[in-house]
Amino acid sequence: MKKSLSLLMGTALLVSLTACGGGSSSQPATTAAAAPAAAEAEITFKYAELNPDDNINSRVGYKFAEEVEARSNGRIKIDVYTASQLGDEVTCLNSLQMGGGTVDMYRGNTNSLSDYGFKKLNLFGLPYIFVSRDTMWKVLDSAEIGQAFLDEGIEVGAGMVGIAYTDEGARNTFTSGEITCLADLKGKKIRVPETTLMMDTMSAIGAEPTPISYSELYSSIQTGVVDGGENGYPGYYSNKFYEVAPYYLLDQHTFSPGIILMAEAKWNQLSAEDQALLREAGKAASEWNKTQIEAEEKELRDKLAAENIVIIDVPAEDKAVAQESCKAVWASYAEGIEDVLDAVVAIQQ
């Protein structure tokens, strides 16, 4: 639903978190200290998110909106539209590319950007490119790689600019039929985002990639159009995919970070000070995200176990074999920027 987050000034207000999908609230906890009354909003942006309110991605969007409103004293407001209200991923990215209006900001995945001319940011979506969450953030926080790449959309003429990174955890594969290991994905029709990179990734690990809209995934599994899909714990749980696909394989094929993107045309209308304000607010939302995601994943694993979902851990040696299979994908997407790929790997060592 559409949310306009207003900062409540004058008294400290604690909005407590409840667990995702049952115990956690759809918006992050906030404490607002006494401050002058907020000004009327002079600028309003529409922010799109595919997931429902209680998902960590949506909650990061609310946190970002809250930070922007607080830092601008209400002068800049961001209306967050969750649950694909403003369209699917392709619709949202196309809207950014065309200058915004329908969608001014969108939280996407770096693995969805290859078809829009991105190359460097796309490396972050390569299968098994990150060793762990800690090493991923080491890369994203680095000035010469992660922070520098936020402007790649401007450099390549994609019509969008990155503001900050987000983390919904590693993407895992889930199926309606029984599986016990990575090898069991061979020949399975697995839904992937409508991007070439994710199709290549699924093919590399032996599955049959089927690109369909995220909003159609539940019904597509239910009707047998696909055998399953892939997503992190938050997306798998909050969208109730476990109801139709109760086998959850922790293959961690992609530890792809999310990225808050903005239409370049809208970005260029802002002063340098307001651009910096958005980046600072995005950084604050990222830091909040980091404090939430690991505990949330553990909580969601416990909730899924209580629902009798079969959670399959994948041995490190099997992941190593899969990584080798995926290095051909690395090569095809790193052509001409092999030095950048080497730097991403080196930072993690």
Side-chain angles (χ1 to χ4, degrees):
M1 90 186 40
K2 172 176 174 287
K3 299 272 187 179
S4 297
L5 293 180
S6 298
L7 186 66
L8 300 180
M9 301 294 182
T11 57
L13 174 65
L14 180 64
V15 180
S16 44
L17 285 170
T18 53
C20 186
S24 179
S25 104
S26 62
Q27 299 183 36
T30 308
T31 301
E40 284 294 320
E42 298 174 5
I43 306 170
T44 301
F45 296 117
K46 292 180 180 179
Y47 180 112
E49 170 58 53
L50 302 185
N51 287 286
D53 267 356
D54 61 357
N55 184 276
I56 185 70
N57 290 310
S58 298
R59 290 161 52 213
V60 171
Y62 290 130
K63 180 64 176 175
F64 173 60
E66 176 188 285
E67 289 286 341
V68 169
E69 191 163 356
R71 291 164 189 266
S72 69
N73 193 30
R75 188 171 51 80
I76 304 175
K77 184 174 73 171
I78 296 173
D79 288 339
V80 178
Y81 295 79
T82 59
S84 301
Q85 288 184 86
L86 299 184
D88 61 16
E89 183 160 66
V90 172
T91 299
C92 291
L93 289 171
N94 286 348
S95 181
L96 296 187
Q97 193 170 48
M98 296 300 292
T102 303
V103 178
D104 302 314
M105 297 177 176
Y106 170 65
R107 193 283 317 165
N109 284 302
T110 52
N111 59 28
S112 299
L113 300 176
S114 60
D115 297 337
Y116 291 84
F118 289 83
K119 293 192 71 177
K120 296 175 184 176
L121 268 177
N122 211 48
L123 296 179
F124 297 160
L126 291 176
Y128 296 106
I129 191 67
F130 292 118
V131 176
S132 68
R133 167 174 282 120
D134 288 343
T135 62
M136 178 187 78
W137 277 108
K138 189 175 179 182
V139 172
L140 299 182
D141 287 336
S142 65
E144 68 276 19
I145 300 290
Q147 296 304 299
F149 289 1
L150 289 172
D151 287 330
E152 189 190 7
I154 296 174
E155 296 164 7
V156 300
M160 55 190 90
V161 59
I163 294 175
Y165 297 106
T166 67
D167 179 4
E168 65 172 327
R171 297 175 76 91
N172 304 302
T173 308
F174 46 88
T175 61
S176 55
E178 183 178 5
I179 54 174
T180 61
C181 61
L182 258 171
D184 288 346
L185 293 179
K186 185 175 178 59
K188 298 282 187 189
K189 291 182 179 179
I190 302 299
R191 178 270 171 186
V192 293
E194 298 164 278
T195 67
T196 307
L197 173 56
M198 287 306 294
M199 292 181 68
D200 291 345
T201 294
M202 261 313 130
S203 294
I205 60 178
E208 207 173 294
T210 307
I212 58 175
S213 174
Y214 191 59
S215 61
E216 297 172 4
L217 177 53
Y218 187 102
S219 62
S220 295
I221 298 173
Q222 196 172 37
T223 57
V225 173
V226 293
D227 298 307
E230 51 83 53
N231 215 320
Y233 273 111
Y236 179 59
Y237 185 83
S238 65
N239 290 282
K240 301 186 184 300
F241 294 137
Y242 61 87
E243 293 179 345
V244 291
Y247 296 91
Y248 195 50
L249 182 73
L250 303 181
D251 55 336
Q252 298 181 322
H253 55 271
T254 306
F255 222 128
S256 167
I259 182 169
I260 298 174
L261 295 161
M262 184 175 187
E264 183 184 353
K266 296 288 186 178
W267 176 259
N268 289 340
Q269 291 172 11
L270 297 172
S271 66
E273 291 76 15
D274 282 346
Q275 290 175 352
L277 184 152
L278 289 184
R279 285 263 170 88
E280 289 162 5
K283 186 69 174 175
S286 289
E287 292 300 320
W288 178 86
N289 188 180
K290 289 180 191 178
T291 68
Q292 299 293 310
I293 185 62
E294 287 193 50
E296 181 159 309
E297 285 181 333
K298 182 181 184 305
E299 181 181 0
L300 292 177
R301 178 165 183 153
D302 292 342
K303 286 186 174 184
L304 290 167
E307 295 282 350
N308 295 317
I309 302 308
V310 180
I311 300 172
I312 306 127
D313 289 297
V314 176
E317 54 267 30
D318 287 359
K319 290 179 188 175
V321 171
Q323 185 186 56
E324 282 302 313
S325 299
C326 289
K327 283 188 175 177
V329 179
W330 291 16
S332 64
Y333 285 88
E335 187 176 354
I337 53 169
E338 291 85 357
D339 57 331
V340 179
L341 175 63
D342 291 344
V344 169
V345 173
I347 287 174
Q348 297 179 72
Q349 294 173 346

